[in-house]
Amino acid sequence: MTRSQQKQILIWGAGRIGRGFIGDIFAASGYQLNFVDAAEDLVELMNQRGVYTVVRAVSADNIQRIPVDQFKAYHVSQKEDLQRLVNEVDVIAIATFPKVFGAVATELQQLILARRNVRPNDPLNIIVCTNLVHAGPIFSTALYAGLDAEQQKYFDEKIGVVESLIIRMAPPAPVEEVEKDPLVVWTNGYGEFPVDGSAFKGAPPEIAAFRLVTDMRAEEQRKMYTYNMCHAVLGYQGYQDGYELLVDCLADPKLRAEAEGALNEVSSALQKQYGFTAEAMAKWVEGVIDQTNNPSIGDTVVRMAADPLRKLSKADRLIGPSLLCLNNGVDPVHLIRTIAYALHYRNEDDPNSIKLTDDIKNNGLESALKAATGLGEAPMEKKLIDDIKAAYQQAAKEIDWRKKAKEAYDRGFEYETVYHGCGQRSYAAASEILGCFDPEVFKAATGLCGGIGLKNNNTCSAFTGAVLVIGNLYNRRREHFDGDREAKYTNFALVQQLYDKFINEFGGITCAHVHTVKYGRPYDLSVKAESVAFEEAGGHGPHGCTDTVGKACQFAIEVLAPMLMEKEEE
């Protein structure tokens, strides 16, 4: 088959989605790929190398490497080549950022009008491939700008603008992979490509990955309000906990509950609005979590939190689903909490986060919120504004306590590294952060080390030290041996929460069990040779008992924070 006979696609945008998804699925269906991009260095590199790799990292044990070599790359300045390509192809994919839609549409309009002279009766379909709600109408508006009535008629009859959904994730590739192949695209390998079946002029291209949908608005919202929304929940809330990766956020029971809670809210609203069945949405939500919880992808919290001004716009992943919920009688508690966290998000490497937080500081929350979101005076919008304002104040307190928990971890880690003595160290670090340090309790905790008195068949001393911190604040007093029942049972409930956190983290609370998790076996620290072996195994290294003490301190702050926040409000 010669080049002129082979099926071809013009892909405008040679970034990660252009190469790693559109290029991948069209190449798999036998298409010759023609990339157009404004980056001269990228175009030159692609033509020099003649091949790039798409990595489909479906899971840790299913990583596929697909070489793609049936392509040529062009710079946007190569006008004659672009005209020839537009004349030859029957399908174009727009894989650029929405901010350049206007420039791309203007350029393409003239190329299409010239194509008309060569192929006046042949249809041309333009697939808009971006994470933007209503991307089709937005691109169409730019594409039609300035056309006369006769030209508009031609575009209406022969030019299809086809919306699509980009569900495949394509984060930056690992550094070591880029060193081997600077053009590599790292993806989660999601294989389905939903497109608006009714928007094609003529027959749709025969692409194995296509899923032709009939209600694009429903599908579009389902994708944006679940996948993108879930990532935003983990991004904005996980950032405050210091997490780097989305998978780390999902491993935190608190953050996973936030993500699943928001997904359940949106699922209910989507069922009511569009008639999705409960079974279909349950399966979809399970897929969202599974696709996100892929350690092979390594998608970062900062990437998902980036550019809060865009992600807080009215139709985007947070405000949009919140309004959908309210309009369908669903209370979007988890969504509103994430919006509040997004308003607190400030990253010195993210100009729009700085602009947003500065606007809040200088002009007040409501003014900045309306400017960022486009919310107005409609009843549901006013209610959402009020709910967000209340959540914003609560989030400020939660963020402060999250910082205290992180500070407690760091202090406990440092104390154990320098001084040793798990129980005393966890008690000292957490109680100092809370301002309830008692020197007599500290002295009494001397024997809490290596279990109890260095015998490891006892409760982890770091855990016990954290229990003592709780006892400093919620306790039964000696003079009320027969009373203080409310405080006593409050203490029990908090210790049970601490216990649950330990179980979730380590699987048990005995010193021997934690040793086994950390080092592969327990060490009897009352025996000199065992103590030496313990140190050689990393006992006080960065992942040893130093981490256990830090976690105990962090957990103590986390379980106490809700009640102490309530006290601050009294």
Side-chain angles (χ1 to χ4, degrees):
M1 181 180 290
T2 67
R3 177 180 170 82
S4 60
Q5 294 172 324
Q6 187 178 11
K7 296 179 294 184
Q8 295 190 70
I9 181 174
L10 174 61
I11 303 173
W12 205 298
R16 293 198 295 269
I17 292 301
R19 296 199 315 278
F21 185 43
I22 308 304
D24 183 20
I25 64 173
F26 271 83
S29 291
Y31 273 72
Q32 168 70 31
L33 313 178
N34 300 283
F35 292 98
V36 180
D37 204 275
E40 292 186 21
D41 291 346
L42 176 59
V43 169
E44 182 178 355
L45 182 61
M46 291 179 70
N47 287 325
Q48 283 178 352
R49 296 182 69 91
V51 62
Y52 68 87
T53 303
V54 176
V55 177
R56 301 174 188 163
V58 179
S59 65
D61 56 358
N62 183 8
I63 297 180
Q64 308 159 17
R65 298 175 183 274
I66 313 299
V68 178
D69 60 6
Q70 62 233 56
F71 70 84
K72 185 165 179 57
Y74 300 86
H75 188 257
V76 292
S77 63
Q78 295 176 248
K79 306 299 184 184
E80 290 185 6
D81 287 312
L82 296 188
Q83 186 64 69
R84 173 180 56 79
L85 288 169
V86 171
N87 291 349
E88 291 179 359
V89 304
D90 294 318
V91 60
I92 296 173
I94 306 299
T96 66
F97 289 114
K99 64 183 179 182
V100 299
F101 272 8
V104 173
T106 298
E107 184 82 17
L108 199 52
Q109 180 193 87
Q110 297 308 307
L111 295 170
I112 292 171
L113 289 172
R115 178 185 192 270
R116 180 187 182 189
N117 297 325
V118 180
R119 301 175 61 184
N121 299 315
D122 294 339
L124 174 66
N125 288 299
I126 303 169
I127 305 174
V128 184
C129 314
T130 187
N131 277 319
L132 180 69
V133 177
H134 304 336
I138 293 171
F139 189 82
S140 290
T141 298
L143 187 66
Y144 274 63
L147 295 178
D148 60 33
E150 194 272 335
Q151 291 170 334
Q152 286 187 29
K153 183 175 183 294
Y154 166 72
F155 272 60
D156 288 342
E157 293 176 352
K158 301 298 181 182
I159 308 302
V161 177
V162 182
E163 288 189 271
S164 69
L165 297 179
I166 306 298
I167 301 178
R168 178 176 291 194
M169 297 170 66
V175 174
E176 62 273 16
E177 294 287 337
V178 177
E179 290 174 351
K180 291 185 289 186
D181 178 2
L183 292 173
V184 67
V185 187
W186 198 267
T187 80
N188 66 346
Y190 191 90
E192 190 176 78
F193 190 24
V195 292
D196 184 357
S198 65
F200 286 98
K201 301 300 182 182
E206 294 183 1
I207 303 299
F210 271 8
R211 176 166 69 87
L212 303 179
V213 302
T214 56
D215 187 345
M216 202 61 191
R217 291 286 81 79
E219 292 286 347
E220 185 179 61
Q221 288 197 349
R222 179 164 72 159
K223 186 269 176 178
M224 175 68 75
Y225 292 178
T226 55
Y227 276 93
N228 299 79
M229 179 277 292
C230 176
H231 298 163
V233 171
L234 297 173
Y236 290 120
Q237 296 206 41
Y239 180 81
Q240 297 298 341
D241 284 328
Y243 288 118
E244 294 184 4
L245 301 177
L246 294 191
V247 291
D248 295 333
C249 296
L250 279 176
D252 183 323
K254 174 178 86 273
L255 292 181
R256 188 182 185 107
E258 287 291 324
E260 290 177 343
L263 284 167
N264 289 334
E265 291 166 358
V266 175
S267 175
S268 296
L270 287 168
Q271 290 173 55
K272 293 180 179 181
Q273 182 74 24
Y274 295 111
F276 292 114
T277 67
E279 293 76 15
M281 283 309 305
K283 184 177 180 180
W284 180 272
V285 165
E286 182 181 356
V288 173
I289 294 294
D290 287 346
Q291 292 290 328
T292 305
N293 197 23
N294 182 351
S296 302
I297 291 299
D299 225 339
T300 65
V301 164
V302 169
R303 191 170 92 90
M304 293 308 171
D307 194 2
L309 283 177
R310 174 170 64 89
K311 291 171 182 173
L312 284 169
S313 61
K314 192 172 181 179
D316 213 281
R317 65 207 68 192
L318 293 173
I319 301 297
S322 297
L323 289 172
L324 182 72
C325 285
L326 289 173
N327 287 322
N328 282 280
V330 178
D331 189 5
V333 175
H334 297 279
L335 280 163
I336 289 171
R337 182 156 40 244
T338 294
I339 293 168
Y341 273 83
L343 292 166
H344 280 286
Y345 175 70
R346 185 180 179 95
N347 182 339
E348 297 306 320
D349 295 324
D350 187 334
N352 274 345
S353 76
I354 295 171
K355 182 178 179 180
L356 174 61
T357 50
D358 283 351
D359 192 15
I360 293 171
K361 180 180 178 181
N362 297 329
N363 300 308
L365 175 58
E366 184 166 339
S367 173
L369 178 60
K370 288 181 175 179
T373 63
L375 291 171
E377 297 301 312
M380 284 302 180
E381 294 185 16
K382 290 178 68 175
K383 172 176 170 45
L384 183 56
I385 290 171
D386 290 341
D387 289 346
I388 292 170
K389 288 165 61 178
Y392 180 85
Q393 303 304 326
Q394 178 65 21
K397 299 171 187 176
E398 292 175 1
I399 289 169
D400 182 56
W401 278 97
R402 286 179 169 185
K403 289 178 180 177
K404 288 180 180 179
K406 176 65 167 59
E407 185 181 350
Y409 176 92
D410 292 341
R411 189 175 298 193
F413 186 101
E414 178 188 359
Y415 281 0
E416 180 62 17
T417 301
V418 176
Y419 302 111
H420 304 179
C422 320
Q424 280 189 313
R425 300 306 137 217
S426 66
Y427 172 76
S431 63
E432 287 169 2
I433 296 295
L434 294 171
C436 64
F437 177 81
D438 185 328
E440 297 304 315
V441 175
F442 178 80
K443 288 189 288 186
T446 301
L448 299 179
C449 184
I452 295 180
L454 302 181
K455 304 305 289 186
N456 65 16
N457 60 338
N458 295 289
T459 303
C460 167
S461 296
F463 176 86
T464 308
V467 171
L468 294 178
V469 176
I470 294 172
N472 269 161
L473 297 172
Y474 296 94
N475 48 66
R476 180 172 63 176
R477 295 162 293 174
R478 173 64 184 84
E479 62 271 25
H480 291 280
F481 248 174
D482 60 346
D484 285 335
R485 289 180 60 82
E486 183 178 351
K488 180 175 69 172
Y489 283 99
T490 296
N491 178 292
F492 293 167
L494 292 169
V495 171
Q496 288 163 16
Q497 292 178 44
L498 180 70
Y499 173 88
D500 289 341
K501 283 181 174 288
F502 248 75
I503 293 296
N504 182 71
E505 182 72 23
F506 302 112
I509 65 166
T510 67
C511 177
H513 179 89
V514 175
H515 276 198
T516 301
V517 170
K518 290 282 187 181
Y519 319 112
R521 74 170 182 90
Y523 292 87
D524 183 351
L525 300 184
S526 66
V527 178
K528 178 65 175 176
E530 284 282 277
S531 179
V532 171
F534 170 76
E535 294 296 342
E536 291 175 347
H540 289 100
H543 304 294
C545 284
T546 47
D547 173 70
T548 306
V549 171
K551 290 276 174 55
C553 298
Q554 174 187 329
F555 294 161
I557 303 296
E558 287 176 349
V559 300
L560 285 162
M563 298 195 71
L564 295 177
M565 275 192 283
E566 285 184 15
K567 278 192 173 183
E568 290 174 346
E569 295 171 2
E570 293 175 355

